[in-house]
Amino acid sequence: MNLETERLILRPWEDRDRAPLAAILGDPHVRRYYPSTATPEEVNAQIDHAIARTAEHGFHFWAAEHKADRKLIGLVGVASLSDRMRTVIDSDPGVEIGWQFDKNYWGQGLAPEGARAWLDHAWKTLGFAEVVAFTAQTNLPSQRVMEKIGMRRDPADDFAHPNLAEGHPLRQHVLYRIKRPG
């Protein structure tokens, strides 16, 4: 099963995606709001984890393929919150939405387009009542995407990321939420 938008094919991972995703997540500019770039080994582990979670639950962060040139341009999807994240998020929405795209495709509205397709899937097919997203407080581009897809922030929900040490410049995170319509 794939999800499709006007310009994207959102699909489970394939072996052919490993090197292109490693190039995307190995780019320091793409990963400037993460503690580090991802190594090819970390990307392989991430893809393997996504494949396993998709097999188990039917969803996770998936490949985002650009229809016009059939190129892998990043990832987008919904994923179950880790136990560690559940300890810092007051309610338990169960899932988060997230994305990372090749910088050559930024500014074209592709992240909101892919995220909207996943939200629709989360509501209509997966049956979730709420989805959250979080990012470093300094990551204004992702916060704009969250707002474009209808998510809202309550500063009272913001938190210190449990995987980042006290004093780390990316430790403070903002949390956005969206509830299923109707």
Side-chain angles (χ1 to χ4, degrees):
M1 179 199 80
N2 295 338
L3 301 177
E4 290 199 27
T5 71
E6 179 183 340
R7 299 176 293 167
L8 296 171
I9 299 168
L10 310 173
R11 57 172 175 74
W13 295 100
E14 300 172 3
D15 279 340
R16 66 184 169 109
D17 300 321
R18 293 176 186 276
L21 187 64
I24 294 166
L25 301 187
D27 184 318
H29 193 61
V30 169
R31 297 280 289 194
R32 68 195 184 281
Y33 298 111
Y34 287 80
S36 64
T37 57
T39 65
E41 294 79 18
E42 290 168 333
V43 169
N44 282 333
Q46 183 176 333
I47 288 175
D48 291 342
H49 179 77
I51 290 168
R53 294 293 76 76
T54 297
E56 184 178 350
H57 302 292
F59 63 92
H60 199 71
F61 299 123
W62 281 4
E65 185 176 303
H66 195 244
K67 281 184 178 179
D69 57 17
R70 303 302 291 206
K71 183 177 177 185
L72 178 81
I73 62 169
L75 62 90
V76 62
V78 295
S80 296
L81 284 170
S82 70
D83 290 340
R84 192 149 204 200
M85 293 311 299
R86 289 173 194 262
T87 65
V88 295
I89 296 175
D90 282 340
S91 68
D92 187 4
V95 292
E96 64 169 301
I97 190 166
W99 48 84
Q100 291 182 73
F101 281 84
D102 182 326
K103 68 184 175 196
N104 296 314
Y105 291 84
W106 291 355
Q108 300 176 34
L110 293 167
E113 183 176 318
R116 283 186 195 104
W118 267 103
L119 282 177
D120 186 61
H121 187 68
W123 308 144
K124 294 178 180 173
T125 304
L126 302 175
F128 290 107
E130 183 182 32
V131 174
V132 298
F134 50 89
T135 190
Q137 192 172 40
T138 55
N139 187 349
L140 299 180
S142 276
Q143 291 179 55
R144 281 193 296 276
V145 172
M146 293 170 194
E147 291 166 0
K148 285 179 183 179
I149 64 173
M151 300 187 93
R152 297 291 170 249
R153 176 182 171 216
D154 179 348
D157 289 336
D158 294 352
F159 62 94
H161 200 291
N163 294 344
L164 298 174
E166 186 75 42
H168 192 286
L170 299 175
R171 186 160 195 240
Q172 292 308 310
H173 270 56
V174 296
L175 180 77
Y176 281 71
R177 299 176 183 275
I178 189 168
K179 293 191 184 296
R180 181 177 50 227

